[in-house]
Amino acid sequence: MTVNEKKCKGITIVSLNGSLDAASAPGVLNSSSALTDTQSIVIDLSGVDFLDSSGLGCLVGIARKKREQGGDVRLACLNEKLRKVFDITRASRLFDIYDDAEYAAGTAAKK
Amino acid sequence: MTVNEKKCKGITIVSLNGSLDAASAPGVLNSSSALTDTQSIVIDLSGVDFLDSSGLGCLVGIARKKREQGGDVRLACLNEKLRKVFDITRASRLFDIYDDAEYAAGTAAKK
Amino acid sequence: MQQERQRKNNYPMNTFMTMSLPSDIHYARIASKTAMMVAEFFSGQSGIAEKREEFCHAFELAVAEAFANSVFNAAPQEKERQVMISFSSEKSELMVSVSDANPEFDPEMQVPDILSYPEHGYGLVLIRQLMDSVRYSRQDGMNQLSMIKNAG
Amino acid sequence: MQQERQRKNNYPMNTFMTMSLPSDIHYARIASKTAMMVAEFFSGQSGIAEKREEFCHAFELAVAEAFANSVFNAAPQEKERQVMISFSSEKSELMVSVSDANPEFDPEMQVPDILSYPEHGYGLVLIRQLMDSVRYSRQDGMNQLSMIKNAG
Ligand SMILES: Nc1ncnc2c1ncn2[C@@H]1O[C@H](COP(=O)(O)OP(=O)(O)O)[C@@H](O)[C@H]1O
Ligand SMILES: Nc1ncnc2c1ncn2[C@@H]1O[C@H](COP(=O)(O)OP(=O)(O)O)[C@@H](O)[C@H]1O
């Protein structure tokens, strides 16, 4: 799992690449402070080819902590396999999900 | 394994895609008559991610039959893994190997 | 339990492949990718093309979940633990079974309310939704979770 | 044979993963990709980055070759044949063993002259060149080809 950051319209987009799963999820939070601080972010999942329930739990945990502190997290670019995980668990109700990370950053900036 | 053909400078370029191995090699010869008739061809291996000794044997068999009948076969775009197989078996001595399929077709046409 | 065993006997499947892997989360991806490849090959023979991707992902994800559960719920005293995986089939149905020597558990656990932001507890829910049928058995100190899906 | 067994005993390795697959060439790619994934994980822990790709390809290809040999040289009378694969390690050395119930064979076979366009006979030559060491043993009616390479 590799983690990259870029700024777009003042919002940090964190791109994850690889499998977000039980083996990699514990390390993800340490790899980017943007995932754990209070600022609103977009997580670009276009590079994530596999997500399991531990990976989902990691995203849910990020959302909970951000929102407790007044921030937010938006998700972008989920492939079919990832959408399936969100649909079955109804986690889609917890997230605003976008097809495009920069568009998601734009809507976050306007808010 | 998928097999595609195109013409370039009058020479047929046969592109192979997938694993050329013990499971797929027997079917390859039936998938394109250009591989078995007498005309000179270029085989583009850029889409082949894995080659084993049965796949190599298949290419050697094509070369032998073509040359017995006055034709030839050139190979193009072997990745590191494929080159390793050719080097260990010394099959590189049997083939003209090019980095570019269209360039290989050009040299075949001039001959 | 008795009932489970009877049900199992009604499901005579031919086991064609088995694996034994270390009970270490780093092997979960090897297990799940292998399951996906087996499902690909199986559905390539007897499956309908458009459902094939969904079929393969179901095995990839279900094995990832079951394997992770085996690793994370292992009894701490045991060393050199292994997780066993076996693939069986009957007509167009593929079954994968994941076995371990962990304590007995209740496979019918429900997912907690999503709006309370649960970070765990999705695994068995996913497995039940992805598969056509899921069977749990406890025998000789081993858990076995058998997951079946039709490729047709 | 005696000599082989002695050599084997000088190589005490810890077997951490085993597989049993159908003796069917369509499973060769599952076996070889699994071997590649095991090698990736193993060399990611103890290997040097630049040699890693070569190390992983060696296991991918060697297992493909050994598996194909097991399938294509099976005794015709046996049904429900399986090919067994086991992974073992010791320090930075990874060993994969491929076993079958085929007739005994000579693992030292040489490749025929390339200029005579041989279409077969490259498998064991490739294995010997890709690996640091290769051991053959025949025991209880089973062939075992053990292939060892150092990730360092
Ligand atoms: N293989 C297993 N061995 C022991 N306990 C298990 C096993 N699989 C599941 N369980 C139990 O079932 C519970 C629910 O599992 P699951 O739905 O996957 O959620 P999670 O693992 O995230 O808690 C686990 O917390 C555990 O108590
Ligand atoms: N697992 C095996 N069981 C029985 N015979 C084998 C096995 N592996 C190799 N052999 C024998 O060794 C020979 C050489 O094998 P190899 O170098 O891979 O070339 P090829 O398989 O192309 O003939 C085979 O033809 C076969 O006779």
Side-chain angles (χ1 to χ4, degrees):
Chain A
M1 168 110 288
T2 60
V3 181
N4 296 299
E5 280 179 34
K6 68 173 180 185
K7 280 265 181 195
C8 175
K9 294 161 191 152
I11 301 285
T12 301
I13 300 178
V14 182
S15 302
L16 306 183
N17 289 284
S19 290
L20 182 56
D21 57 21
S24 68
V28 165
L29 295 181
N30 297 327
S31 60
S32 159
S33 60
L35 293 172
T36 47
D37 64 21
T38 60
Q39 61 171 307
S40 289
I41 58 166
V42 172
I43 301 182
D44 180 348
L45 295 167
S46 58
V48 174
D49 61 336
F50 181 68
L51 179 81
D52 73 1
S53 70
S54 301
L56 177 66
C58 171
L59 297 174
V60 169
I62 291 169
R64 182 179 55 73
K65 277 173 220 136
K66 294 262 181 214
R67 289 172 194 171
E68 279 172 3
Q69 301 173 327
D72 196 11
V73 55
R74 278 139 211 262
L75 303 180
C77 311
L78 282 67
N79 71 20
E80 275 295 304
K81 287 161 67 173
L82 273 62
R83 282 194 181 268
K84 184 118 198 172
V85 175
F86 276 77
D87 289 346
I88 293 177
T89 57
R90 288 181 292 171
S92 12
R93 293 174 63 192
L94 287 185
F95 293 96
D96 288 331
I97 299 177
Y98 297 84
D99 289 337
D100 184 279
E102 305 210 344
Y103 180 82
T107 65
K110 264 184 233 130
K111 203 176 143 180
Chain B
M1 169 107 290
T2 60
V3 181
N4 295 300
E5 280 181 32
K6 69 173 180 185
K7 279 266 178 192
C8 176
K9 292 160 193 155
I11 300 286
T12 300
I13 300 179
V14 182
S15 301
L16 305 183
N17 289 283
S19 289
L20 183 55
D21 57 21
S24 68
V28 165
L29 295 182
N30 297 326
S31 60
S32 159
S33 60
L35 293 172
T36 45
D37 64 20
T38 61
Q39 60 171 311
S40 289
I41 59 167
V42 172
I43 301 182
D44 180 349
L45 295 167
S46 57
V48 173
D49 60 336
F50 181 69
L51 178 81
D52 73 1
S53 69
S54 300
L56 176 66
C58 171
L59 296 174
V60 169
I62 291 169
R64 182 179 54 74
K65 278 174 220 135
K66 294 262 181 213
R67 289 171 193 171
E68 279 172 2
Q69 302 173 325
D72 196 13
V73 54
R74 278 139 211 263
L75 303 180
C77 310
L78 282 66
N79 72 20
E80 275 295 304
K81 288 160 68 175
L82 272 61
R83 281 196 181 268
K84 184 117 199 174
V85 175
F86 276 77
D87 289 347
I88 292 176
T89 57
R90 287 183 292 172
S92 13
R93 294 174 62 193
L94 286 187
F95 293 96
D96 288 330
I97 298 178
Y98 297 83
D99 289 337
D100 184 280
E102 306 210 345
Y103 180 82
T107 65
K110 262 182 236 134
K111 204 177 144 184
Chain C
M1 209 78 295
Q2 185 59 31
Q3 197 196 350
E4 270 305 330
R5 252 181 249 142
Q6 278 175 9
R7 249 194 264 150
K8 264 184 87 183
N9 291 341
N10 292 340
Y11 248 89
M13 284 203 170
N14 170 36
T15 298
F16 57 88
M17 179 171 156
T18 59
M19 306 174 77
S20 171
L21 299 100
S23 180
D24 171 339
I25 197 59
H26 295 100
Y27 288 87
R29 203 67 188 113
I30 294 178
S32 67
K33 281 193 180 173
T34 304
M36 186 190 67
M37 289 190 280
V38 172
E40 262 171 15
F41 174 52
F42 183 81
S43 61
Q45 293 192 305
S46 65
I48 296 168
E50 56 246 53
K51 291 188 79 183
R52 207 173 156 191
E53 262 186 50
E54 192 202 320
F55 183 80
C56 297
H57 178 235
F59 280 90
E60 180 183 21
L61 183 50
V63 167
E65 297 296 339
F67 193 93
N69 276 345
S70 290
V71 172
F72 292 135
N73 298 291
Q77 69 275 15
E78 288 206 43
K79 283 181 190 174
E80 312 236 356
R81 288 180 293 258
Q82 296 283 114
V83 178
M84 267 74 65
I85 302 180
S86 69
F87 297 93
S88 314
S89 69
E90 177 64 31
K91 300 206 181 103
S92 62
E93 283 190 322
L94 179 62
M95 175 168 90
V96 62
S97 299
V98 176
S99 309
D100 58 51
N102 296 356
E104 194 164 356
F105 65 96
D106 171 14
E108 302 299 329
M109 296 254 291
Q110 298 302 314
V111 73
D113 175 21
I114 188 75
L115 298 176
S116 67
Y117 291 86
E119 291 180 39
H120 300 282
Y122 304 103
L124 288 167
V125 175
L126 278 169
I127 290 173
R128 285 198 299 267
Q129 290 292 323
L130 292 164
M131 291 286 155
D132 292 342
S133 96
V134 178
R135 286 145 207 283
Y136 171 80
S137 76
R138 175 96 188 163
Q139 223 166 331
D140 305 326
M142 301 281 291
N143 299 309
Q144 182 165 58
L145 196 70
S146 296
M147 301 168 274
I148 301 169
K149 195 173 177 79
N150 200 312
Chain D
M1 207 78 292
Q2 185 57 32
Q3 196 195 351
E4 271 304 330
R5 251 182 248 140
Q6 280 177 8
R7 250 194 260 151
K8 265 186 85 182
N9 291 340
N10 292 338
Y11 248 89
M13 284 203 170
N14 169 38
T15 298
F16 57 88
M17 180 172 155
T18 59
M19 305 173 79
S20 170
L21 298 101
S23 180
D24 171 337
I25 197 60
H26 295 100
Y27 288 87
R29 203 65 189 114
I30 295 179
S32 66
K33 282 192 178 172
T34 304
M36 185 190 68
M37 290 189 280
V38 172
E40 263 171 14
F41 174 53
F42 183 82
S43 61
Q45 293 191 306
S46 65
I48 296 167
E50 58 244 56
K51 291 188 79 183
R52 206 172 157 193
E53 260 184 55
E54 191 202 322
F55 182 80
C56 296
H57 178 236
F59 280 91
E60 181 184 20
L61 184 50
V63 167
E65 297 297 340
F67 193 93
N69 276 345
S70 291
V71 172
F72 291 135
N73 296 291
Q77 69 276 14
E78 288 207 44
K79 283 182 189 173
E80 313 237 355
R81 288 180 295 256
Q82 296 283 115
V83 178
M84 268 74 66
I85 303 180
S86 68
F87 297 93
S88 314
S89 69
E90 176 65 31
K91 299 206 180 103
S92 62
E93 282 190 322
L94 179 62
M95 175 167 90
V96 61
S97 298
V98 176
S99 308
D100 58 50
N102 296 356
E104 195 164 356
F105 65 95
D106 171 14
E108 304 297 330
M109 296 254 291
Q110 298 301 314
V111 74
D113 176 21
I114 189 72
L115 298 177
S116 67
Y117 291 86
E119 290 181 39
H120 299 283
Y122 303 104
L124 288 167
V125 175
L126 277 170
I127 291 173
R128 285 197 300 266
Q129 290 292 324
L130 293 165
M131 292 286 154
D132 292 343
S133 96
V134 178
R135 285 144 209 284
Y136 171 80
S137 76
R138 174 96 187 162
Q139 224 167 328
D140 305 326
M142 302 280 292
N143 299 310
Q144 183 166 56
L145 197 69
S146 295
M147 303 168 273
I148 302 169
K149 195 173 176 79
N150 201 313

